[in-house]
Amino acid sequence: MADITLFGDPVKTWGELPEVGTQAPGFSLITNNLEVTTLDDFKGTKLIINIFPSIDTQTCALSVRRFNEKASGLENTKILCVSRDLPFAQDRFCAAEGLENVITLSDYRNDNFGENYGVMIDGGKLSGLHSRAIVVIDENGVVKYTEQVPELKDEPNYDAALNAL
């Protein structure tokens, strides 16, 4: 369990982020077209997984915008923005913002992504949503970097995630 905070109040997650150097856990997430996509669909591609509670909050929206900005110059790399938001909300946000360099994916069906990646919030106001975290995976499916953001309202370390590639 990770001990994080929300405006200074303690929050716990169901587990821990995947360990650096291990194979990334598989996942099954929903695209904006309501199709299932899995980790295997990204084989041979480097991934930055930007995980957050909801795209409709200030910091979450900012992280999607920032990664969209930084992703334009990356080779063989996809930025996956994962939350429990419905795909319709994710698609609406990206369309309104003109974001084309990130892929938003939904865990609204709760196919164990939150548990497998150790980001499911356990208890409190945000129970069942994901914590703010980053997981970087290389083209061979190996975890290269993780960050569990200690305070949910704070942004992740974008440079550290990008440098892990």
Side-chain angles (χ1 to χ4, degrees):
M1 252 186 245
D3 291 316
I4 55 178
T5 58
L6 174 60
F7 297 103
D9 294 329
V11 176
K12 292 196 180 297
T13 64
W14 284 45
E16 299 289 333
L17 294 174
E19 286 189 44
V20 171
T22 64
Q23 283 296 126
F27 59 72
S28 176
L29 297 167
I30 308 302
T31 69
N32 291 345
N33 296 326
L34 300 178
E35 295 178 8
V36 175
T37 192
T38 67
L39 180 60
D40 287 342
D41 294 331
F42 297 99
K43 260 190 180 148
T45 305
K46 298 174 191 172
L47 300 174
I48 296 176
I49 305 179
N50 176 29
I51 307 163
F52 49 87
S54 175
I55 204 159
D56 286 322
T57 64
Q58 182 178 351
T59 305
C60 301
L62 183 59
S63 74
V64 175
R65 286 187 205 104
R66 286 260 171 97
F67 272 122
N68 181 74
E69 190 179 289
K70 293 176 180 294
S72 63
L74 301 175
E75 290 184 33
N76 192 35
T77 303
K78 304 269 188 221
I79 309 249
L80 309 181
C81 296
V82 178
S83 68
R84 302 285 312 271
D85 293 300
L86 290 175
F88 314 112
Q90 294 173 333
D91 189 44
R92 172 192 43 79
F93 175 82
C94 288
E97 296 282 331
L99 306 181
E100 298 177 350
N101 298 321
V102 295
I103 299 169
T104 54
L105 297 172
S106 176
D107 186 31
Y108 83 95
R109 291 185 182 165
N110 193 20
D111 288 336
N112 297 320
F113 176 86
E115 292 91 344
N116 293 343
Y117 277 76
V119 294
M120 182 74 72
I121 295 175
D122 184 18
K125 294 177 182 177
L126 299 181
S127 185
L129 296 180
H130 298 322
S131 63
R132 185 174 320 287
I134 302 293
V135 178
V136 177
I137 302 170
D138 73 10
E139 60 274 14
N140 299 310
V142 175
V143 176
K144 301 305 275 183
Y145 171 84
T146 63
E147 176 189 6
Q148 175 66 72
V149 179
E151 168 57 53
L152 278 167
K153 67 175 180 54
D154 292 342
E155 293 179 71
N157 186 334
Y158 304 104
D159 292 333
L162 294 166
N163 290 337
L165 294 171

